[in-house]
Amino acid sequence: MSNKTSSRRWAKLTAAMVMAVPLGVLGTASPAAAETTFSAVPDDDSKKPGDVDGCDRTDTAGIYADSGSRTYKGRRLTLYTETILDYWAQATIAGKVARNDKVYVQRSLYAFNMHSKPRYPSDDYVRAMGGVKTCRHIANSSDASRDYARTGSVALQTGEDNRSYAVRACVKPTGGKFKCTRWFIDHY
């Protein structure tokens, strides 16, 4: 591994720790924010060259609606997008949640034009348009006892000129494969 790559990984890890510690000390972070784990090293099938790590926002307050679901290995994976302000997207798993299950919400780095109906581009197309940002949560024992885990949030819309990121939810259950919902581009 080159020194430059190693330095970037340590910088990401340091930034995540610096941002997480003050929130926990102040007591302003939600329980989900305290549990959210930011990946600093690609360790699973969600990472591909050019992908970016991290959530855009750690808390998940808002009014959300189901924008795509699937069931895999007893877990119901759901992509939730904010309905009132349309700024954020998050992912959840419910059902047979086990400790160390991984749930992700991903967004494109490229913002697409919105239309009157939602669109569902292919993974290859989204990646070809500039890559993907990944927000990951690793289920802990509390999540497993509740059979529910949730990620932080990623941006849904840019806030300018009817442009939206493509978003999707993914899961990698303990002992399972990496599976996702379809990519979703919001509509106006």
Side-chain angles (χ1 to χ4, degrees):
M1 176 174 11
S2 73
N3 285 339
K4 188 175 183 180
T5 302
S6 178
S7 297
R8 282 187 283 168
R9 287 185 177 161
W10 278 109
K12 286 180 183 179
L13 181 59
T14 303
M17 290 182 341
V18 168
M19 292 183 331
V21 170
L23 288 175
V25 170
L26 294 174
T28 57
S30 69
E35 297 167 359
T36 300
T37 302
F38 300 94
S39 64
V41 180
D43 67 347
D44 54 46
D45 299 332
S46 70
K47 286 292 288 176
K48 294 190 178 177
D51 286 1
V52 177
D53 290 320
C55 305
D56 291 324
R57 187 173 92 164
T58 55
D59 63 340
T60 55
I63 299 171
Y64 291 83
D66 181 336
S67 293
S69 298
R70 74 177 294 171
T71 301
Y72 176 61
K73 291 210 174 261
R75 286 103 170 146
R76 179 158 178 82
L77 170 66
T78 306
L79 171 67
Y80 284 102
T81 56
E82 195 175 33
T83 59
I84 301 296
L85 299 176
D86 280 342
Y87 288 141
W88 308 106
Q90 65 184 22
T92 67
I93 51 174
K96 297 180 181 179
V97 175
R99 189 171 173 271
N100 293 323
D101 282 355
K102 295 173 186 165
V103 59
Y104 311 79
V105 62
Q106 295 184 320
R107 78 160 171 89
S108 62
L109 297 179
Y110 177 81
F112 296 87
N113 288 324
M114 290 191 293
H115 295 277
S116 59
K117 295 180 181 177
R119 290 181 296 149
Y120 305 94
S122 71
D123 187 51
D124 289 340
Y125 184 71
V126 169
R127 289 183 185 281
M129 295 301 289
V132 172
K133 183 172 190 166
T134 299
C135 172
R136 178 182 76 174
H137 175 75
I138 300 174
N140 56 35
S141 48
S142 176
D143 297 325
S145 68
R146 291 179 295 148
D147 283 328
Y148 180 82
R150 176 179 62 203
T151 65
S153 300
V154 294
L156 175 61
Q157 292 186 17
T158 64
E160 56 188 58
D161 301 329
N162 288 323
R163 302 214 14 110
S164 177
Y165 298 107
V167 294
R168 73 175 178 179
C170 301
V171 64
K172 186 174 186 198
T174 304
K177 294 182 180 180
F178 185 77
K179 300 287 184 178
C180 300
T181 63
R182 294 189 301 172
W183 285 101
F184 171 83
I185 298 174
D186 202 9
H187 56 95
Y188 53 80

